[in-house]
Amino acid sequence: MIYWEIFLAFFIANLLGYGGGPAIIPLLQNEVVNQYGWMTLREFGDVLAIANALPGPIATKMAGFIGYEAGGVLGAVLALAATILPSAIAVIILFKFVDLFKGSPRVKLMTKSVQPIIAVLLAVMAYQFFLTAFEHSGIFHLLFLAAASYLTLNKLKVHPSIVIVCALFYGGIFLS
């Protein structure tokens, strides 16, 4: 039963996750944390941070790790397959209709109308992570990491992956 749940959770999230990586994260969080309880919100945040620090698509890295945690090697394989299948099927089917709808104002309007929904989902997820970070690490560490991240990203123009890795080390040293 766990294998079916793994496949279904990742398939649904990736089927509904219009736009790829960032749009899928709140949907995955709902399935993994709220629906099935395979991880806590804090653990999910840790997996997300590590997935962001590594090269490649976020969704597949998260699927592999979460699938492995929930169901071993077979769980990882099923989660990865469920992550890839919706896009692969859509590309195969929709490729035939690309030329018909390429310049359609309705398609452009649909694309524009979905963007605010994705932004709200990401904002809600960021707020939940903020609350979790505040509860577990305290205001000092939270404000220090936020300020240090802001300065290094915006003022010093350091690559985001370096900032994430440094924050991971900081958390490992001072918050464990």
Side-chain angles (χ1 to χ4, degrees):
M1 188 67 173
I2 185 75
Y3 298 118
W4 173 247
E5 290 173 347
I6 291 171
F7 182 83
L8 196 62
F10 284 92
F11 189 80
I12 289 172
N14 286 282
L15 184 65
L16 300 176
Y18 175 81
I24 292 171
I25 294 167
L27 300 171
L28 282 178
Q29 176 199 341
N30 183 58
E31 294 293 320
V32 171
V33 176
N34 302 340
Q35 178 77 17
Y36 295 107
W38 294 326
M39 297 182 148
T40 64
L41 185 60
R42 183 176 184 186
E43 292 169 336
F44 186 83
D46 292 343
V47 171
L48 177 61
I50 292 170
N52 271 320
L54 297 172
I58 296 169
T60 53
K61 292 178 285 191
M62 291 183 74
F65 182 82
I66 295 168
Y68 182 78
E69 286 290 310
V73 174
L74 183 57
V77 170
L78 288 172
L80 285 169
T83 299
I84 296 166
L85 275 176
S87 298
I89 292 169
V91 166
I92 291 168
I93 293 172
L94 296 177
F95 188 67
K96 296 179 181 182
F97 301 105
V98 165
D99 288 332
L100 293 174
F101 300 109
K102 185 171 35 177
S104 170
R106 289 181 179 169
V107 171
K108 290 180 182 178
L109 181 62
M110 284 179 6
T111 303
K112 292 275 186 207
S113 64
V114 170
Q115 290 174 349
I117 296 168
I118 293 170
V120 168
L121 287 172
L122 288 171
V124 168
M125 186 183 70
Y127 177 70
Q128 289 174 338
F129 284 152
F130 173 81
L131 290 179
T132 303
F134 178 74
E135 290 172 4
H136 292 290
S137 57
I139 191 73
F140 172 76
H141 295 294
L142 180 64
L143 291 176
F144 173 74
L145 285 173
S149 298
Y150 175 78
L151 290 173
T152 54
L153 288 170
N154 291 326
K155 302 297 182 195
L156 301 176
K157 305 294 184 198
V158 175
H159 194 275
S161 62
I162 295 172
V163 175
I164 292 169
V165 169
C166 290
L168 284 170
F169 280 119
Y170 178 87
I173 293 170
F174 295 106
L175 301 176
S176 54

